[in-house]
Amino acid sequence: MENILSQNVRRICKERKLQMKELAASMGVDPAALTRALGGNCRLDTMQKMANALGVSLKSLFEPMDDVEGYIRIGEQVFQFNSREELRILLNEK
């Protein structure tokens, strides 16, 4: 469970160009404490702080990552997608 939590938190931070130390600051914890929490045995209140700081639901931190991500060029524009749904939206909009 911690592995999925850690992967999702790191992925969301990367998508938002948010450094882990910035996430820790917005949670009101030391960056080392955040690293330890993501390494395992994370408390429920800490998980809730992570979700709140990232603006996502607690549930979404434990959903398995989509197995599709990448870039697509449509015309002269390049788009990044991180899920099948994002790809579907891009293809339907363009």
Side-chain angles (χ1 to χ4, degrees):
M1 181 164 68
E2 287 87 10
N3 194 25
I4 292 173
L5 172 67
S6 178
Q7 288 175 358
N8 284 335
V9 168
R10 292 176 196 283
R11 176 184 51 80
I12 293 167
C13 284
K14 183 178 178 180
E15 289 171 0
R16 297 180 181 180
K17 297 178 177 36
L18 182 69
Q19 294 183 6
M20 297 301 286
K21 66 181 178 181
E22 294 170 319
L23 174 59
S26 66
M27 292 171 55
V29 300
D30 183 69
L34 176 58
T35 301
R36 285 190 303 273
L38 291 175
N41 240 3
C42 189
R43 294 177 8 180
L44 180 59
D45 64 324
T46 303
M47 290 181 240
Q48 189 61 59
K49 285 181 184 179
M50 284 180 210
N52 291 342
L54 292 169
V56 300
S57 69
L58 184 58
K59 178 183 174 235
S60 69
L61 294 180
F62 293 95
E63 293 174 340
M65 276 183 32
D66 199 322
D67 61 341
V68 175
E69 63 179 48
Y71 296 88
I72 185 171
R73 183 177 55 80
I74 301 174
E76 293 185 12
Q77 289 187 295
V78 176
F79 300 91
Q80 179 180 6
F81 57 92
N82 295 302
S83 68
R84 292 176 192 273
E85 184 59 26
E86 287 180 11
L87 177 58
R88 192 173 298 118
I89 291 168
L90 281 171
L91 293 174
N92 287 330
E93 289 180 356
K94 306 304 176 207

